[in-house]
Amino acid sequence: MVCGFLGCDVDGSVTTLGRGGSDVSAFLIGHCLGADEVVIVTDVKGVMSTDPRKLNTARKLDKITVEEMIDLANYGAQVLHPNALRYKDPNIKAKIISFEYGDLRVQGTDIIGPAHEEYDVITITKCDDKLSVLAVVGENLMNQQCIIAQITQKVCENKLNIYGISTGESSITLFFKEDEAIKAHEKLHDLVIGGDTLSSISLGQKIAMISVVSHDFIDTPGIIASITKPLHENEINIVELSSSQTAVVVFVDWNDGDKAYDLIKETLQ
């Protein structure tokens, strides 16, 4: 038996591994031993479709990817700490089971992956498609019920894909592929003139979309500033920016797309 949660620093002094340290130990020891499988024994049956304490309709998942599990953990799921999942060897099976069964062979939730062997990798991509921006405006949209549902329903009915969406006090901004934006403009205009919530819609400039993704962003203060600063210094205007705990998506004028991509890549990689 090997004690988890403990390690040593660069000077050889004994220290703790921080939150999730026991699970970190399990994945690291499994890697060092060339194990076939790492079994995480905890107080839940596995990864659930939602918190069973909040919805009694929650069900156990048979499998989940490392990337999905990290996102769940970052947003509050407490089955595994995201730090531990960064150390999972993609070539070693892993699963989560409950201690109540008293049997390591019981089926729990298999953890698949990760897709990348480099756990701290930052992925920067520029969408190949030229996008167009649509802005729908109306009074006090933040307090209008179902307005987003009405817009997305109209988009769904016409088999169009939204690449980005953001909301403000009096506007909703949407991004479509350039060749689909004209149809989206027409169909959403029908929504504008067919009700009294929206007042106008505009079809704007051609847009480039750059996505920056890393599971380390949640623990990296100032990551948005690191992305926007070189664009500001090179006088590149950001049309829109959206972020989550693991991704930042930047929309700029199409003519600035390549330069913005190179600047962000140079800064972060």
Side-chain angles (χ1 to χ4, degrees), residues 12 14 19 25 42 45 58 67 69 72 101 118 131 162 198 207 216 226 234 256 261:
V14 175
R19 294 183 61 190
S25 301
T42 184
K45 296 179 180 179
E67 289 79 12
M69 190 68 241
L72 274 180
Y101 296 112
E118 295 182 44
L131 307 183
I162 299 174
L198 301 172
I207 299 295
D216 284 339
S226 298
N234 287 271
D256 291 327
Y261 170 80

Side-chain angles (χ1 to χ4, degrees), residues 188-262:
L188 292 178
H189 181 252
D190 291 342
L191 192 63
V192 171
I193 61 177
D196 55 8
T197 302
L198 301 172
S199 59
S200 184
I201 181 172
S202 67
L203 176 60
Q205 68 204 87
K206 308 311 176 188
I207 299 295
M209 183 178 78
I210 302 164
S211 301
V212 188
V213 180
S214 173
H215 291 301
D216 284 339
F217 283 172
I218 188 174
D219 297 317
T220 309
I223 187 62
I224 292 180
S226 298
I227 293 170
T228 59
K229 183 179 179 181
L231 303 187
H232 166 70
E233 291 174 343
N234 287 271
E235 299 183 343
I236 294 177
N237 184 50
I238 296 174
V239 176
E240 194 73 62
L241 184 146
S242 63
S243 66
S244 68
Q245 301 211 40
T246 58
V248 178
V249 181
V250 182
F251 298 91
V252 299
D253 185 272
W254 176 258
N255 293 327
D256 291 327
D258 289 337
K259 185 176 181 180
Y261 170 80
D262 291 338

